[in-house]
Coordinates of all heavy atoms in Angstrom, one line a residue:
D1089 N -75.2 -166.6 214.6 CA -75.5 -165.3 214.0 C -74.3 -165.0 213.1 O -73.1 -165.0 213.5 CB -75.7 -164.3 215.0 CG -76.5 -163.1 214.5 OD1 -77.2 -163.3 213.6 OD2 -76.3 -162.0 215.1
Y1090 N -74.5 -164.8 211.8 CA -73.5 -164.5 210.9 C -73.4 -163.0 210.5 O -74.5 -162.4 210.3 CB -73.7 -165.3 209.6 CG -73.6 -166.8 209.8 CD1 -74.7 -167.6 209.9 CD2 -72.3 -167.4 209.9 CE1 -74.5 -169.0 210.0 CE2 -72.2 -168.7 210.1 CZ -73.3 -169.5 210.2 OH -73.1 -170.9 210.4
D1091 N -72.2 -162.5 210.4 CA -72.0 -161.2 209.9 C -71.6 -161.3 208.4 O -70.5 -161.6 208.1 CB -70.9 -160.5 210.7 CG -70.6 -159.0 210.2 OD1 -71.1 -158.7 209.1 OD2 -70.0 -158.3 211.0
V1092 N -72.6 -161.1 207.5 CA -72.4 -161.3 206.1 C -71.2 -160.4 205.6 O -70.4 -160.9 204.7 CB -73.7 -161.0 205.3 CG1 -73.4 -161.1 203.8 CG2 -74.8 -162.0 205.7
D1093 N -71.1 -159.2 206.0 CA -70.1 -158.3 205.5 C -68.7 -158.9 206.0 O -67.7 -158.8 205.2 CB -70.2 -156.9 206.1 CG -71.4 -156.2 205.5 OD1 -71.8 -156.5 204.3 OD2 -72.0 -155.3 206.1
E1094 N -68.6 -159.4 207.1 CA -67.3 -159.9 207.6 C -67.0 -161.2 206.8 O -65.8 -161.4 206.5 CB -67.4 -160.2 209.1 CG -66.1 -160.8 209.7 CD -65.0 -159.8 209.7 OE1 -65.1 -158.6 209.4 OE2 -63.8 -160.3 210.0
I1095 N -67.9 -162.0 206.6 CA -67.7 -163.2 205.8 C -67.2 -162.9 204.4 O -66.3 -163.4 203.9 CB -69.0 -164.1 205.8 CG1 -69.2 -164.7 207.1 CG2 -68.8 -165.2 204.7 CD1 -70.6 -165.4 207.3
D1096 N -67.9 -161.9 203.7 CA -67.5 -161.4 202.4 C -66.1 -160.9 202.4 O -65.3 -161.1 201.5 CB -68.5 -160.4 201.9 CG -69.8 -161.0 201.5 OD1 -69.9 -162.2 201.3 OD2 -70.8 -160.2 201.3
R1097 N -65.8 -160.1 203.5 CA -64.4 -159.5 203.6 C -63.4 -160.6 203.7 O -62.4 -160.6 203.0 CB -64.3 -158.6 204.8 CG -63.0 -157.9 205.0 CD -63.0 -157.1 206.3 NE -62.8 -158.0 207.4 CZ -61.6 -158.5 207.8 NH1 -60.5 -158.3 207.1 NH2 -61.5 -159.3 208.8
K1098 N -63.6 -161.6 204.5 CA -62.7 -162.7 204.7 C -62.6 -163.6 203.4 O -61.5 -164.0 203.0 CB -63.1 -163.6 205.8 CG -62.8 -162.9 207.2 CD -63.1 -163.9 208.3 CE -62.8 -163.2 209.6 NZ -63.1 -164.0 210.8
I1099 N -63.7 -163.7 202.7 CA -63.6 -164.5 201.4 C -62.7 -163.7 200.4 O -61.9 -164.3 199.7 CB -65.0 -164.7 200.8 CG1 -65.8 -165.7 201.7 CG2 -65.0 -165.1 199.4 CD1 -67.3 -165.9 201.3
G1100 N -62.9 -162.4 200.4 CA -62.1 -161.6 199.5 C -60.6 -161.7 199.8 O -59.7 -161.8 198.9
I1101 N -60.2 -161.6 201.1 CA -58.9 -161.8 201.6 C -58.3 -163.2 201.2 O -57.2 -163.3 200.7 CB -58.7 -161.6 203.1 CG1 -59.0 -160.1 203.4 CG2 -57.4 -162.0 203.6 CD1 -59.2 -159.8 204.9
L1102 N -59.1 -164.2 201.4 CA -58.7 -165.6 201.1 C -58.5 -165.8 199.6 O -57.5 -166.4 199.2 CB -59.7 -166.6 201.7 CG -59.4 -168.0 201.5 CD1 -58.1 -168.3 202.3 CD2 -60.5 -168.9 202.1
D1103 N -59.3 -165.2 198.8 CA -59.2 -165.2 197.4 C -57.9 -164.6 197.0 O -57.1 -165.1 196.2 CB -60.4 -164.6 196.7 CG -60.3 -164.7 195.2 OD1 -60.0 -165.8 194.6 OD2 -60.5 -163.7 194.5
A1104 N -57.6 -163.4 197.5 CA -56.4 -162.7 197.1 C -55.1 -163.4 197.6 O -54.2 -163.5 196.8 CB -56.4 -161.3 197.7
L1105 N -55.1 -163.9 198.8 CA -54.0 -164.7 199.3 C -53.8 -166.0 198.5 O -52.7 -166.3 198.2 CB -54.2 -165.0 200.7 CG -54.1 -163.9 201.7 CD1 -54.6 -164.3 203.1 CD2 -52.8 -163.3 201.7
G1106 N -54.9 -166.6 198.1 CA -54.8 -167.8 197.3 C -54.2 -167.5 195.9 O -53.3 -168.2 195.4
D1107 N -54.5 -166.4 195.3 CA -54.0 -166.0 194.0 C -52.5 -165.7 194.2 O -51.6 -166.1 193.4 CB -54.7 -164.7 193.5 CG -56.0 -165.0 192.9 OD1 -56.3 -166.2 192.7 OD2 -56.8 -164.0 192.8
E1108 N -52.1 -165.0 195.2 CA -50.6 -164.7 195.5 C -49.9 -165.9 195.7 O -48.7 -166.1 195.2 CB -50.5 -163.7 196.7 CG -51.0 -162.3 196.4 CD -50.8 -161.4 197.6 OE1 -49.9 -161.6 198.4 OE2 -51.7 -160.5 197.8
F1109 N -50.4 -166.9 196.5 CA -49.7 -168.1 196.7 C -49.6 -168.9 195.5 O -48.5 -169.5 195.2 CB -50.6 -168.9 197.8 CG -49.9 -170.2 198.2 CD1 -48.8 -170.2 199.0 CD2 -50.4 -171.4 197.7 CE1 -48.2 -171.4 199.4 CE2 -49.8 -172.6 198.0 CZ -48.7 -172.6 198.9
Y1110 N -50.6 -168.9 194.6 CA -50.5 -169.6 193.4 C -49.4 -169.1 192.5 O -48.6 -169.8 191.9 CB -51.8 -169.5 192.6 CG -51.9 -170.3 191.3 CD1 -52.2 -171.7 191.3 CD2 -51.7 -169.6 190.1 CE1 -52.2 -172.4 190.1 CE2 -51.7 -170.4 188.9 CZ -51.9 -171.7 188.9 OH -52.0 -172.4 187.8
V1111 N -49.3 -167.8 192.4 CA -48.2 -167.1 191.6 C -46.9 -167.5 192.2 O -45.9 -167.8 191.5 CB -48.4 -165.6 191.6 CG1 -47.2 -164.9 191.0 CG2 -49.6 -165.2 190.8
C1112 N -46.7 -167.4 193.5 CA -45.4 -167.8 194.2 C -45.0 -169.3 193.8 O -43.9 -169.6 193.5 CB -45.5 -167.6 195.7 SG -45.5 -165.9 196.2
V1113 N -46.0 -170.2 194.0 CA -45.7 -171.6 193.7 C -45.3 -171.8 192.2 O -44.3 -172.5 191.9 CB -46.9 -172.5 194.0 CG1 -46.8 -173.9 193.4 CG2 -47.2 -172.5 195.5
Q1114 N -45.9 -171.1 191.3 CA -45.6 -171.1 189.9 C -44.1 -170.6 189.7 O -43.4 -171.2 188.9 CB -46.5 -170.3 189.0 CG -47.9 -171.0 189.0 CD -47.9 -172.4 188.5 OE1 -47.3 -172.8 187.5 NE2 -48.5 -173.3 189.3
K1115 N -43.7 -169.6 190.4 CA -42.4 -169.0 190.3 C -41.4 -170.0 190.8 O -40.3 -170.2 190.3 CB -42.3 -167.7 191.0 CG -43.0 -166.6 190.3 CD -42.8 -165.3 191.0 CE -43.6 -164.1 190.3 NZ -43.4 -162.9 190.9
V1116 N -41.7 -170.7 191.9 CA -40.8 -171.7 192.5 C -40.6 -172.8 191.5 O -39.4 -173.2 191.2 CB -41.4 -172.3 193.8 CG1 -40.7 -173.6 194.2 CG2 -41.4 -171.2 194.9
V1117 N -41.7 -173.3 190.9 CA -41.6 -174.4 189.9 C -40.8 -173.9 188.6 O -40.0 -174.7 188.1 CB -43.0 -175.0 189.5 CG1 -42.9 -176.0 188.4 CG2 -43.6 -175.6 190.8
A1118 N -41.1 -172.8 188.2 CA -40.5 -172.2 187.0 C -39.0 -172.1 187.1 O -38.2 -172.2 186.2 CB -41.1 -170.9 186.6
N1119 N -38.5 -171.9 188.4 CA -37.1 -171.8 188.6 C -36.5 -173.1 189.2 O -35.3 -173.1 189.6 CB -36.9 -170.6 189.6 CG -37.0 -169.3 189.0 OD1 -36.2 -168.8 188.2 ND2 -38.2 -168.6 189.2
G1120 N -37.3 -174.2 189.1 CA -36.8 -175.5 189.5 C -36.4 -175.6 191.0 O -35.5 -176.3 191.4
M1121 N -37.0 -174.8 191.8 CA -36.7 -174.8 193.3 C -37.7 -175.5 194.2 O -37.6 -175.4 195.4 CB -36.5 -173.3 193.7 CG -35.4 -172.6 193.0 SD -35.3 -170.9 193.6 CE -33.8 -170.4 192.8
Q1122 N -38.5 -176.3 193.6 CA -39.5 -177.0 194.4 C -38.9 -178.0 195.4 O -39.5 -178.3 196.4 CB -40.5 -177.8 193.5 CG -39.9 -178.8 192.6 CD -39.5 -178.2 191.2 OE1 -39.3 -177.1 191.0 NE2 -39.4 -179.1 190.2
D1123 N -37.7 -178.5 195.2 CA -37.1 -179.4 196.1 C -36.4 -178.7 197.3 O -36.0 -179.3 198.2 CB -36.1 -180.3 195.4 CG -36.7 -181.2 194.4 OD1 -37.9 -181.5 194.6 OD2 -36.1 -181.6 193.5
I1124 N -36.2 -177.4 197.2 CA -35.4 -176.7 198.2 C -36.3 -175.6 198.9 O -35.8 -175.0 199.9 CB -34.1 -176.0 197.7 CG1 -34.4 -175.0 196.5 CG2 -33.2 -177.1 197.2 CD1 -33.2 -174.3 196.0
I1125 N -37.4 -175.2 198.4 CA -38.2 -174.1 198.9 C -38.6 -174.2 200.3 O -38.5 -173.2 201.1 CB -39.4 -173.8 198.0 CG1 -40.0 -172.4 198.4 CG2 -40.4 -174.8 198.1 CD1 -39.1 -171.2 198.2
I1126 N -39.0 -175.4 200.8 CA -39.4 -175.6 202.2 C -38.2 -175.3 203.1 O -38.3 -174.6 204.1 CB -40.0 -176.9 202.4 CG1 -41.3 -177.1 201.6 CG2 -40.3 -177.1 203.9 CD1 -42.4 -176.1 201.9
D1127 N -37.1 -175.9 202.8 CA -35.9 -175.7 203.6 C -35.5 -174.2 203.6 O -35.1 -173.7 204.7 CB -34.7 -176.6 203.2 CG -35.0 -178.0 203.5 OD1 -35.7 -178.3 204.5 OD2 -34.4 -178.9 202.8
A1128 N -35.6 -173.5 202.5 CA -35.2 -172.1 202.4 C -36.2 -171.3 203.2 O -35.7 -170.4 203.9 CB -35.2 -171.7 200.9
I1129 N -37.5 -171.6 203.2 CA -38.4 -170.9 204.0 C -38.2 -171.0 205.5 O -38.2 -170.1 206.2 CB -39.9 -171.3 203.6 CG1 -40.3 -170.8 202.2 CG2 -40.9 -170.8 204.7 CD1 -41.5 -171.3 201.7
L1130 N -37.8 -172.2 205.9 CA -37.5 -172.5 207.3 C -36.2 -171.7 207.7 O -36.2 -171.1 208.8 CB -37.3 -174.0 207.6 CG -38.5 -174.8 207.4 CD1 -38.2 -176.3 207.6 CD2 -39.6 -174.4 208.5
E1131 N -35.2 -171.6 206.8 CA -34.0 -170.8 207.1 C -34.4 -169.3 207.2 O -33.9 -168.7 208.1 CB -33.0 -171.0 205.9 CG -31.8 -170.2 206.0 CD -30.8 -170.8 207.0 OE1 -30.9 -171.9 207.5 OE2 -29.8 -170.0 207.4
I1132 N -35.2 -168.8 206.3 CA -35.7 -167.4 206.4 C -36.5 -167.2 207.7 O -36.3 -166.2 208.4 CB -36.5 -167.1 205.2 CG1 -35.6 -167.1 203.9 CG2 -37.2 -165.7 205.3 CD1 -36.3 -167.1 202.6
H1133 N -37.3 -168.1 208.1 CA -38.1 -168.0 209.3 C -37.2 -167.9 210.5 O -37.4 -167.1 211.4 CB -39.0 -169.2 209.4 CG -39.8 -169.3 210.7 ND1 -40.7 -168.3 211.1 CD2 -39.7 -170.1 211.8 CE1 -41.1 -168.6 212.3 NE2 -40.5 -169.7 212.7
E1134 N -36.2 -168.8 210.6 CA -35.2 -168.8 211.7 C -34.5 -167.4 211.8 O -34.3 -166.8 212.9 CB -34.2 -169.9 211.6 CG -34.8 -171.3 211.9 CD -35.4 -171.4 213.3 OE1 -34.7 -170.9 214.2 OE2 -36.5 -172.0 213.4
S1135 N -34.1 -166.9 210.6 CA -33.5 -165.6 210.5 C -34.4 -164.5 211.1 O -34.1 -163.6 211.8 CB -33.1 -165.2 209.1 OG -32.6 -163.9 209.0
N1136 N -35.7 -164.6 210.6 CA -36.7 -163.6 211.0 C -36.9 -163.6 212.6 O -37.1 -162.5 213.2 CB -38.0 -163.7 210.3 CG -38.0 -163.2 208.9 OD1 -37.2 -162.4 208.5 ND2 -38.8 -163.8 208.1
L1137 N -36.8 -164.7 213.1 CA -37.0 -164.8 214.6 C -35.9 -164.1 215.3 O -36.1 -163.6 216.5 CB -37.0 -166.3 215.0 CG -38.2 -167.1 214.7 CD1 -38.1 -168.5 215.1 CD2 -39.5 -166.4 215.2
T1138 N -34.7 -163.9 214.7 CA -33.6 -163.2 215.4 C -33.8 -161.7 215.4 O -33.1 -160.9 216.0 CB -32.2 -163.5 214.8 OG1 -32.1 -163.0 213.4 CG2 -31.9 -165.0 214.8
K1139 N -34.9 -161.2 214.7 CA -35.2 -159.8 214.7 C -36.0 -159.4 216.0 O -36.2 -158.2 216.2 CB -36.1 -159.5 213.5 CG -35.4 -159.6 212.1 CD -36.3 -159.3 211.0 CE -35.6 -159.4 209.6 NZ -36.5 -159.2 208.5
F1140 N -36.3 -160.4 216.8 CA -37.0 -160.1 218.0 C -36.1 -160.3 219.2 O -35.4 -161.3 219.2 CB -38.3 -161.0 218.1 CG -39.3 -160.8 217.0 CD1 -39.1 -161.4 215.8 CD2 -40.3 -159.9 217.2 CE1 -40.1 -161.2 214.8 CE2 -41.2 -159.6 216.2 CZ -41.1 -160.3 215.0
Q1141 N -36.2 -159.4 220.2 CA -35.4 -159.6 221.4 C -36.4 -159.8 222.5 O -37.3 -159.1 222.8 CB -34.6 -158.4 221.7 CG -33.4 -158.2 220.6 CD -32.6 -157.0 221.0 OE1 -33.0 -156.1 221.6 NE2 -31.4 -157.0 220.5
N1142 N -36.2 -160.9 223.2 CA -37.1 -161.3 224.3 C -38.6 -161.4 223.8 O -39.5 -161.0 224.6 CB -36.9 -160.4 225.5 CG -35.6 -160.4 226.0 OD1 -34.9 -161.4 226.1 ND2 -35.1 -159.2 226.4
G1143 N -38.8 -161.8 222.6 CA -40.1 -161.9 222.0 C -40.7 -160.6 221.6 O -41.9 -160.5 221.2
E1144 N -39.9 -159.5 221.6 CA -40.5 -158.2 221.3 C -39.8 -157.6 220.1 O -38.6 -157.8 219.9 CB -40.2 -157.2 222.4 CG -40.9 -157.5 223.8 CD -42.4 -157.3 223.7 OE1 -42.8 -156.4 223.0 OE2 -43.1 -158.1 224.3
A1145 N -40.6 -157.1 219.2 CA -40.1 -156.4 218.0 C -39.5 -155.1 218.3 O -40.0 -154.4 219.2 CB -41.2 -156.2 216.9
I1146 N -38.5 -154.7 217.6 CA -37.9 -153.4 217.8 C -38.3 -152.6 216.6 O -37.8 -152.9 215.4 CB -36.3 -153.5 217.9 CG1 -36.0 -154.3 219.2 CG2 -35.7 -152.1 218.0 CD1 -34.5 -154.6 219.3
L1147 N -39.0 -151.5 216.7 CA -39.5 -150.7 215.6 C -38.9 -149.4 215.6 O -38.7 -148.8 216.7 CB -41.1 -150.6 215.7 CG -41.9 -151.9 215.8 CD1 -43.3 -151.6 216.0 CD2 -41.6 -152.7 214.5
N1148 N -38.7 -148.8 214.4 CA -38.2 -147.4 214.4 C -39.4 -146.5 214.4 O -40.5 -146.9 214.6 CB -37.3 -147.2 213.2 CG -38.0 -147.3 211.8 OD1 -39.3 -147.3 211.8 ND2 -37.3 -147.3 210.8
D1149 N -39.1 -145.2 214.2 CA -40.2 -144.2 214.3 C -41.3 -144.3 213.2 O -42.4 -143.8 213.4 CB -39.6 -142.8 214.1 CG -38.6 -142.4 215.2 OD1 -38.7 -143.0 216.3 OD2 -37.8 -141.5 215.0
Q1150 N -40.9 -145.1 212.1 CA -41.9 -145.3 211.1 C -42.5 -146.7 211.2 O -43.1 -147.2 210.2 CB -41.2 -145.1 209.7 CG -40.8 -143.6 209.6 CD -39.6 -143.5 208.6 OE1 -39.0 -144.5 208.1 NE2 -39.3 -142.3 208.2
D1151 N -42.4 -147.3 212.3 CA -42.9 -148.7 212.6 C -42.3 -149.8 211.7 O -42.9 -150.8 211.4 CB -44.4 -148.7 212.5 CG -45.1 -148.1 213.6 OD1 -44.5 -148.0 214.7 OD2 -46.2 -147.6 213.5
K1152 N -41.1 -149.5 211.2 CA -40.3 -150.5 210.4 C -39.6 -151.4 211.4 O -39.0 -150.9 212.4 CB -39.4 -149.9 209.5 CG -38.6 -150.9 208.6 CD -37.6 -150.1 207.7 CE -36.9 -151.0 206.8 NZ -36.2 -152.2 207.2
L1153 N -39.6 -152.7 211.2 CA -39.0 -153.7 212.1 C -37.5 -153.5 211.9 O -37.0 -153.6 210.7 CB -39.4 -155.1 211.7 CG -38.9 -156.2 212.6 CD1 -39.3 -156.1 214.0 CD2 -39.4 -157.6 212.0
M1154 N -36.8 -153.3 212.9 CA -35.3 -153.1 212.9 C -34.6 -154.4 213.1 O -35.1 -155.3 213.8 CB -34.9 -152.0 213.9 CG -35.6 -150.7 213.7 SD -35.3 -149.9 212.2 CE -33.5 -149.7 212.2
K1155 N -33.4 -154.5 212.6 CA -32.5 -155.7 212.8 C -31.6 -155.4 214.0 O -30.7 -154.6 213.9 CB -31.8 -156.0 211.6 CG -32.6 -156.3 210.4 CD -31.8 -156.5 209.1 CE -32.8 -156.7 207.9 NZ -32.2 -156.5 206.7
P1156 N -31.9 -156.0 215.1 CA -31.1 -155.8 216.3 C -29.7 -156.4 216.3 O -29.5 -157.3 215.4 CB -31.9 -156.4 217.4 CG -32.6 -157.5 216.8 CD -32.9 -157.0 215.4
E1157 N -28.9 -156.1 217.2 CA -27.6 -156.8 217.4 C -27.9 -158.3 217.6 O -28.9 -158.6 218.3 CB -26.9 -156.3 218.6 CG -25.5 -156.8 218.8 CD -24.8 -156.1 219.9 OE1 -25.0 -154.9 220.1 OE2 -24.0 -156.8 220.6
G1158 N -27.2 -159.1 216.9 CA -27.5 -160.5 217.0 C -28.3 -161.1 215.8 O -28.5 -162.3 215.7
F1159 N -28.8 -160.1 215.0 CA -29.6 -160.5 213.8 C -28.7 -161.5 212.9 O -27.5 -161.2 212.7 CB -30.0 -159.3 213.0 CG -30.6 -159.7 211.6 CD1 -31.8 -160.3 211.5 CD2 -29.9 -159.4 210.5 CE1 -32.3 -160.7 210.3 CE2 -30.3 -159.8 209.2 CZ -31.6 -160.4 209.1
K1160 N -29.3 -162.5 212.5 CA -28.6 -163.5 211.6 C -29.3 -163.5 210.2 O -30.4 -164.0 210.1 CB -28.6 -164.9 212.2 CG -27.8 -164.9 213.5 CD -27.8 -166.3 214.1 CE -27.1 -166.2 215.5 NZ -27.3 -167.4 216.3
K1161 N -28.6 -163.1 209.2 CA -29.1 -163.1 207.9 C -29.2 -164.6 207.4 O -28.4 -165.4 207.8 CB -28.1 -162.4 206.9 CG -28.6 -162.2 205.5 CD -27.6 -161.4 204.7 CE -28.2 -161.3 203.3 NZ -27.3 -160.4 202.5
P1162 N -30.3 -164.9 206.7 CA -30.4 -166.3 206.3 C -29.3 -166.7 205.3 O -28.9 -165.9 204.4 CB -31.8 -166.3 205.6 CG -32.0 -165.0 205.2 CD -31.3 -164.1 206.2
D1163 N -28.8 -167.9 205.5 CA -27.8 -168.4 204.6 C -28.5 -169.3 203.5 O -28.6 -170.5 203.7 CB -26.7 -169.3 205.3 CG -25.7 -169.9 204.4 OD1 -25.6 -169.5 203.2 OD2 -24.9 -170.7 204.9
L1164 N -28.9 -168.6 202.4 CA -29.6 -169.4 201.4 C -28.6 -170.0 200.4 O -29.0 -170.9 199.6 CB -30.5 -168.4 200.7 CG -31.6 -167.8 201.6 CD1 -32.5 -166.8 200.8 CD2 -32.5 -168.9 202.2
S1165 N -27.3 -169.6 200.4 CA -26.4 -170.2 199.5 C -26.2 -171.7 199.6 O -25.9 -172.4 198.7 CB -25.0 -169.5 199.7 OG -24.5 -169.8 200.9
K1166 N -26.5 -172.2 200.8 CA -26.4 -173.7 201.0 C -27.4 -174.5 200.3 O -27.2 -175.7 200.1 CB -26.4 -174.0 202.5 CG -27.7 -173.6 203.2 CD -27.5 -173.9 204.7 CE -28.7 -173.4 205.5 NZ -28.5 -173.5 206.9
F1167 N -28.4 -173.8 199.8 CA -29.5 -174.5 199.0 C -29.2 -174.5 197.5 O -29.9 -175.2 196.8 CB -30.8 -173.9 199.3 CG -31.2 -173.9 200.8 CD1 -31.3 -172.8 201.5 CD2 -31.4 -175.2 201.5 CE1 -31.6 -172.8 202.9 CE2 -31.6 -175.2 202.8 CZ -31.7 -174.0 203.5
I1168 N -28.3 -173.7 197.1 CA -28.0 -173.5 195.6 C -26.8 -174.3 195.3 O -25.7 -174.1 195.9 CB -27.8 -172.0 195.2 CG1 -29.1 -171.2 195.7 CG2 -27.6 -171.9 193.8 CD1 -30.4 -171.6 195.1
K1169 N -26.9 -175.2 194.3 CA -25.8 -176.0 193.9 C -25.3 -175.6 192.5 O -26.0 -175.2 191.7 CB -26.2 -177.5 193.9 CG -26.5 -177.9 195.3 CD -26.9 -179.4 195.3 CE -27.3 -179.8 196.7 NZ -28.0 -181.0 196.8

């Protein structure tokens, strides 16, 4: 049994995400960063993981993710020569 409205909603989301991804890839290539982007994304990901303590996000009153003690900013300078 298919929910046509849900399928259409997901198609719309997928289309929008695909467009955003396409623009991001074009910016990566335009800036000559295609050889470093994956490593940079992994560095950012590792940094983002330090925003969680014991697997839990710390949110402020406005539901913004807070940077707890021990947060490690990504070191992206190592990718730029």
Side-chain angles (χ1 to χ4, degrees):
D1089 203 27
Y1090 294 103
D1091 181 343
V1092 175
D1093 291 334
E1094 181 65 9
I1095 291 170
D1096 286 344
R1097 186 185 74 78
K1098 287 183 178 181
I1099 288 171
I1101 291 170
L1102 187 58
D1103 182 47
L1105 291 171
D1107 286 343
E1108 289 179 35
F1109 183 75
Y1110 183 82
V1111 169
C1112 287
V1113 169
Q1114 293 305 310
K1115 289 179 180 182
V1116 167
V1117 172
N1119 286 284
M1121 297 182 172
Q1122 59 271 20
D1123 295 333
I1124 60 173
I1125 191 63
I1126 298 299
D1127 290 333
I1129 289 170
L1130 292 172
E1131 178 77 14
I1132 293 164
H1133 173 67
E1134 289 298 319
S1135 171
N1136 284 337
L1137 290 178
T1138 68
K1139 293 179 182 177
F1140 297 86
Q1141 292 183 336
N1142 300 320
E1144 296 290 323
I1146 299 172
L1147 304 176
N1148 69 10
D1149 295 340
Q1150 297 157 347
D1151 288 334
K1152 181 182 186 310
L1153 185 61
M1154 302 301 296
K1155 296 173 184 164
E1157 188 175 323
F1159 167 73
K1160 295 178 184 168
K1161 187 175 178 180
D1163 178 11
L1164 300 177
S1165 65
K1166 63 186 172 184
F1167 303 112
I1168 305 299
K1169 297 177 183 170

